[in-house]
């Protein structure tokens, strides 16, 4: 499995323009995306999510685990996080939303009065 890249997400992600969130958590979709290729350790997730404080990342992971999207596995002092089947199903829907957003980005920008 490839290492996660520090530049995996654009600086504007997650954008305040996006009308879609997983609950109130603006980072959850990015966390799910980081887990799409398999289990990751917390330190691996921190690479592309460096703008997220460790506390907030922990809260996001706990919420995703609570809601059934992520499984936390602790083994010999090694903790990993991975998507559940429910999480993989949500990932497919996130790609649909990302495509929609890309197709409507200019309209989303134009709709904002504070542009």
């Amino acid at each position: 499995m490839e290492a996660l890249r520090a530049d995996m997400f654009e600086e504007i992600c997650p954008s305040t323009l996006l009308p879609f969130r997983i609950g109130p958590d603006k980072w959850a979709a990015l966390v799910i995306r980081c887990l799409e290729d398999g289990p990751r350790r917390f330190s691996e997730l921190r690479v592309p999510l460096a703008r997220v404080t460790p506390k907030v990342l922990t809260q996001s992971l706990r919420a995703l685990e609570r809601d059934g999207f992520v499984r936390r596995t602790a083994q010999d002092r090694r903790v990993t996080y991975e998507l559940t089947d429910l999480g993989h199903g949500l990932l497919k829907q996130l790609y649909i939303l990302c495509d929609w957003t890309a197709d409507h980005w200019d309209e989303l920008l134009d709709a904002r009065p504070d542009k």
Side-chain angles (χ1 to χ4, degrees):
M1 178 174 14
E2 276 187 47
L4 296 174
R5 295 183 340 268
D7 65 347
M8 184 173 172
F9 301 111
E10 292 186 29
E11 196 63 34
I12 62 169
C13 287
S15 173
T16 57
L17 290 176
L18 301 179
F20 312 107
R21 291 226 170 122
I22 300 170
D25 187 347
K26 72 179 187 177
W27 300 107
L30 301 183
V31 172
I32 288 172
R33 175 76 202 296
C34 289
L35 296 172
E36 75 177 314
D37 291 330
R40 299 285 183 174
R41 297 187 70 182
F42 187 87
S43 59
E44 291 178 279
L45 297 173
R46 293 276 302 136
V47 173
L49 300 172
R51 291 177 291 139
V52 185
T53 65
K55 178 182 175 181
V56 170
L57 180 54
T58 297
Q59 291 171 344
S60 292
L61 286 164
R62 285 181 181 160
L64 289 167
E65 182 183 11
R66 179 198 65 223
D67 294 339
F69 299 118
V70 170
R71 178 180 309 108
R72 178 184 186 272
T73 304
Q75 205 172 42
D76 298 326
R77 297 176 54 191
R78 179 182 169 103
V79 176
T80 58
Y81 299 90
E82 65 184 311
L83 292 179
T84 62
D85 289 342
L86 192 61
H88 281 287
L90 181 58
L91 180 64
K92 291 176 186 174
Q93 303 312 309
L94 287 174
Y95 275 118
I96 292 169
L97 292 174
C98 287
D99 289 344
W100 181 90
T101 300
D103 290 345
H104 295 88
W105 189 252
D106 290 338
E107 295 165 81
L108 289 168
L109 279 171
D110 291 343
R112 289 294 170 114
D114 57 353
K115 49 186 169 158

